[in-house]
Amino acid sequence: MSVWLIRLVIVGGFFAFWQFGAGTVFNEFFFSRPSAICGQLWDLMASGRLFYHSAITLIEALAGFACGSAAGLLAGIVLGRNEVLGKALDPIITIFYSLPKIALGPLFVIWFGIGIEMKIVLTATIVFFLVFLNTYTGVRGVSRELVAIMKLMGATERNILSKVVLPSVVTWVFTGLRLSVPYALIGAIVGELIASNQGLGYLLSNAAGQFNTAGVFATIVAIVVMTMLLNATVKFVERRMMPWQDEQATREVSI
Amino acid sequence: MQKNMQFSREDRGQMDSAGATATTAPRGSKNEALIRFSDFGKNFGKGAKTVVATRAINLDVLSGQFVTIVGPSGCGKSTLLNAVAGILPPTQGQVIYRGAPVHDVNRRVGYMTQSDHLLPWRKVAANIALPLEIQRKPKAVIAERVNELIKLVGLDGFSDSYLSQLSGGMRKRCALARVLAYDPETLLMDEPFSALDAQLRITMQTEVRDLCLRLGKTVLFVTHDIDEAIALGDICVVLSERPGTVREIITVNLPRDRDLRRLRSDPHYVETTEHVWALLAPPSVAQKGRVA
Ligand SMILES: Nc1ncnc2c1ncn2[C@@H]1O[C@H](COP(=O)(O)OP(=O)(O)O)[C@@H](O)[C@H]1O
Ligand SMILES: [Mg+2]
């Protein structure tokens, strides 16, 4: 109860200060004020622009997310189960992993133009590495003892893959997917910031270009809402796919 | 590596293994060993870093025998089990199973280790069903067999539970049911109960011994606990420190249907454990007698 009270006081105080400090304590031009932001948000929604641009960004993020995670999953399993190949490609992967993928944006503009494809590729590249690395770690983490025990039971590589590797990797994959959600949006939005004429990133840079601070904040609010919705979706799917984790979470703590 | 020297070479402590096993043969298996270690040795690593885990092991295990292997940690006990399972190839000698050298994965054996290696995303029944699924048994057959096994190991009423809802002992029972599911003729057990508390351990020991005798399993049971080794074994193989060699093969003259809870007062049991304690204690300690 008191937690909520503290929260209310801090958040309420912050917004009150913002609302009434604007124009007196600090310059409204740079910081806008909550009422103006709400107004902008309303305008954006009423005109339908918000939904149009959000849909574009969402499509880019989801398409990139789907391609990137599928490729990451596949690569993680193949390299994780194939020791020689994994070892051979390890340094190359490390190099690519160290590279900030955003830096590839301009290159992708040259290759794919400023349309939706370029954002999808950028997002997919970012998501690929997150999912790949988590999957790879998960596959590598499968107990060799367990694999040996299963071979004694007569298991083939396919049995091992379907009955042990894939299920035990699910946890890792979901960690990768959950991490990827915000990055997928970052990929799409940064892609739009680099070059675009649609999407939330475009809305953001457009408002900033016109020194419309309220518009910038309104777009940021929209981005936050979208991220939270996506996160909630992944969490929901995760819970449906891994019911045994729920049992673990609700179990009384004992060591 | 130097301290290996303090222990005798295999020629001192090692008894005639064939002679020792012959007297305890539980059923007349026509003196042909089911498992035979023939001058078995295993090194790990190459060049200067070579670790001689175990060497010159000669041991016969008869069908239906409950054999315990005891020795200090790192003396190659797990290595021996791995060799029987065909997971580790020998450096010297060979392991002969049913008359043929073990080359590949040996599907006639089942393995149980200290950590139970159950699958947390499967419920108890599905865990036990794993080997049957691998054998592509029909669903109805699997269900029936799993039911039997659940009763056999005393997990009635838990078939629909996730592992996170089970206690340590119940997980062991589940692992035991799983390994019994595909009915391997030999069970390799690597310190399966060392993580359990004393009460639970003696319960599980009793059940495993009784079950294995009843089902006619041949068992190689590894432990570093001398009391456990004597209590469970028909014969007990005592290994030296690394590189592990057979110091002595002890015939445990306790009844086959022994009551593990009463053993503490059995003179033969006490005498035998004392003997093994003395064998395995470092020389300085050995002089002062048994120090726990
Ligand atoms: N896979 C391996 N690779 C390298 N060394 C190993 C391996 N397995 C065991 N060893 C070494 O061999 C020795 C015997 O190991 P192990 O059979 O596990 O002993 P125990 O089970 O008696 O404790 C140890 O010194 C261990 O370090
Ligand atoms: Mg061991």
Side-chain angles (χ1 to χ4, degrees):
Chain A
M1 199 59 232
S2 64
V3 175
W4 279 101
L5 199 69
I6 295 168
R7 223 171 257 167
L8 195 73
V9 168
I10 290 178
V11 173
F14 172 76
F15 280 106
F17 175 72
W18 192 357
Q19 177 70 23
F20 299 110
T24 52
V25 185
F26 48 82
N27 192 336
E28 189 182 347
F29 178 77
F30 292 115
F31 296 98
S32 185
R33 60 169 75 201
S35 60
I37 295 167
C38 287
Q40 275 286 334
L41 213 48
W42 178 251
D43 286 350
L44 278 173
M45 286 199 283
S47 67
R49 286 178 71 209
L50 185 69
F51 301 113
Y52 172 73
H53 291 290
S54 296
I56 298 285
T57 303
L58 194 63
I59 289 168
E60 292 164 357
L62 287 183
F65 185 77
C67 298
S69 50
L73 199 64
L74 195 68
I77 289 171
V78 170
L79 295 197
R81 281 305 290 170
N82 192 325
E83 214 155 311
V84 182
L85 203 60
K87 232 180 224 165
L89 296 184
D90 196 57
I92 302 170
I93 291 161
T94 312
I95 290 171
F96 271 100
Y97 186 68
S98 321
L99 174 80
K101 262 63 73 184
I102 299 294
L104 296 173
L107 191 62
F108 289 159
V109 173
I110 299 175
W111 288 353
F112 304 104
I114 65 162
I116 197 167
E117 300 85 357
M118 168 243 157
K119 283 90 185 175
I120 293 175
V121 174
L122 187 60
T123 304
T125 313
I126 296 172
V127 171
F128 170 83
F129 278 95
L130 282 170
V131 175
F132 165 74
L133 230 68
N134 274 286
T135 309
Y136 184 71
T137 315
V139 174
R140 274 315 175 76
V142 171
S143 155
R144 286 156 155 248
E145 262 182 46
L146 174 57
V147 171
I149 286 174
M150 287 196 53
K151 283 189 178 154
L152 292 174
M153 292 174 185
T156 59
E157 174 68 19
R158 232 178 99 191
N159 287 145
I160 291 167
L161 214 55
S162 69
K163 296 191 191 300
V164 176
V165 175
L166 288 180
S168 68
V169 152
V170 170
T171 322
W172 284 91
V173 171
F174 270 104
T175 308
L177 292 182
R178 209 162 353 104
L179 284 175
S180 304
V181 167
Y183 283 100
L185 276 175
I186 289 174
I189 289 168
V190 169
E192 290 161 359
L193 286 175
I194 292 172
S196 165
N197 48 21
Q198 51 188 0
L200 289 176
Y202 162 75
L203 214 55
L204 206 57
S205 64
N206 193 38
Q210 298 169 16
F211 294 100
N212 175 3
T213 322
V216 173
F217 277 115
T219 314
I220 288 174
V221 170
I223 292 171
V224 169
V225 171
M226 191 187 275
T227 313
M228 282 167 56
L229 285 177
L230 284 180
N231 272 330
T233 311
V234 172
K235 224 173 241 167
F236 175 75
V237 176
E238 191 175 357
R239 194 157 312 151
R240 291 295 294 273
M241 300 260 309
M242 299 191 291
W244 66 93
Q245 294 246 323
D246 244 17
E247 302 283 344
Q248 258 156 15
T250 54
R251 180 175 185 252
E252 280 183 64
V253 177
S254 62
I255 301 177
Chain B
M1 287 301 279
Q2 281 90 334
K3 70 175 183 214
N4 298 329
M5 295 297 124
Q6 75 195 25
F7 271 104
S8 61
R9 309 246 156 197
E10 75 277 10
D11 36 54
R12 204 174 91 199
Q14 193 176 342
M15 283 170 35
D16 174 15
S17 59
T21 53
T23 53
T24 51
R27 54 195 72 191
S29 318
K30 295 174 196 79
N31 57 45
E32 185 54 36
L34 176 66
I35 308 165
R36 165 169 286 160
F37 289 89
S38 154
D39 200 30
F40 173 85
K42 178 70 191 174
N43 302 350
F44 289 103
K46 287 189 187 118
K49 285 191 195 153
T50 304
V51 174
V52 182
T54 181
R55 58 187 204 81
I57 300 280
N58 286 294
L59 175 69
D60 278 13
V61 177
L62 302 185
S63 178
Q65 222 171 11
F66 201 117
V67 178
T68 54
I69 300 174
V70 68
S73 92
C75 72
K77 303 184 293 294
S78 304
T79 305
L80 292 185
L81 295 195
N82 273 290
V84 175
I87 296 166
L88 282 178
T91 315
Q92 291 108 36
Q94 54 190 352
V95 178
I96 295 168
Y97 193 98
R98 273 202 182 278
V102 176
H103 282 307
D104 208 357
V105 174
N106 182 357
R107 300 226 174 120
R108 290 171 182 271
V109 307
Y111 217 115
M112 260 183 91
T113 55
Q114 182 176 351
S115 94
D116 43 49
H117 290 303
L118 296 166
L119 308 178
W121 53 87
R122 284 173 174 242
K123 295 179 177 177
V124 168
N127 261 292
I128 299 172
L130 180 71
L132 302 170
E133 284 175 21
I134 289 171
Q135 293 177 344
R136 295 164 164 274
K137 290 266 179 356
K139 276 218 169 66
V141 175
I142 292 182
E144 193 183 341
R145 178 103 180 93
V146 168
N147 258 333
E148 277 171 31
L149 287 160
I150 282 181
K151 287 213 187 74
L152 191 68
V153 300
L155 274 178
D156 311 60
F158 287 94
S159 65
D160 212 26
S161 303
Y162 281 112
L163 299 172
S164 51
Q165 298 164 311
L166 301 190
S167 66
M170 287 154 86
R171 294 174 63 108
K172 286 290 173 217
R173 287 167 201 271
C174 186
L176 182 64
R178 182 178 72 177
V179 79
L180 290 176
Y182 65 108
D183 206 22
E185 64 180 357
T186 298
L187 293 181
L188 306 176
M189 303 200 167
D190 196 347
E191 313 196 6
F193 306 140
S194 52
L196 302 181
D197 65 74
Q199 280 298 319
L200 189 54
R201 182 155 47 177
I202 208 160
T203 310
M204 291 303 298
Q205 287 169 343
T206 305
E207 286 181 18
V208 160
R209 212 191 121 85
D210 289 352
L211 262 177
C212 290
L213 293 197
R214 188 140 63 86
L215 301 173
K217 301 289 180 199
T218 308
V219 183
L220 274 184
F221 188 106
V222 157
T223 177
H224 60 254
D225 178 338
I226 293 169
D227 298 338
E228 182 173 57
I230 303 299
L232 290 182
D234 294 329
I235 64 169
C236 170
V237 180
V238 184
L239 296 181
S240 67
E241 248 182 63
R242 202 178 71 217
T245 54
V246 178
R247 292 212 70 190
E248 195 168 327
I249 295 173
I250 293 169
T251 306
V252 182
N253 284 320
L254 294 168
R256 279 218 111 197
D257 58 346
R258 58 190 80 159
D259 180 352
L260 297 189
R261 289 181 197 276
R262 298 258 162 79
L263 281 182
R264 261 185 303 173
S265 53
D266 184 300
H268 178 72
Y269 171 76
V270 174
E271 190 188 321
T272 316
T273 48
E274 288 290 346
H275 173 62
V276 179
W277 271 99
L279 268 181
L280 286 179
S284 58
V285 181
Q287 271 139 36
K288 286 183 228 148
R290 176 172 167 174
V291 176

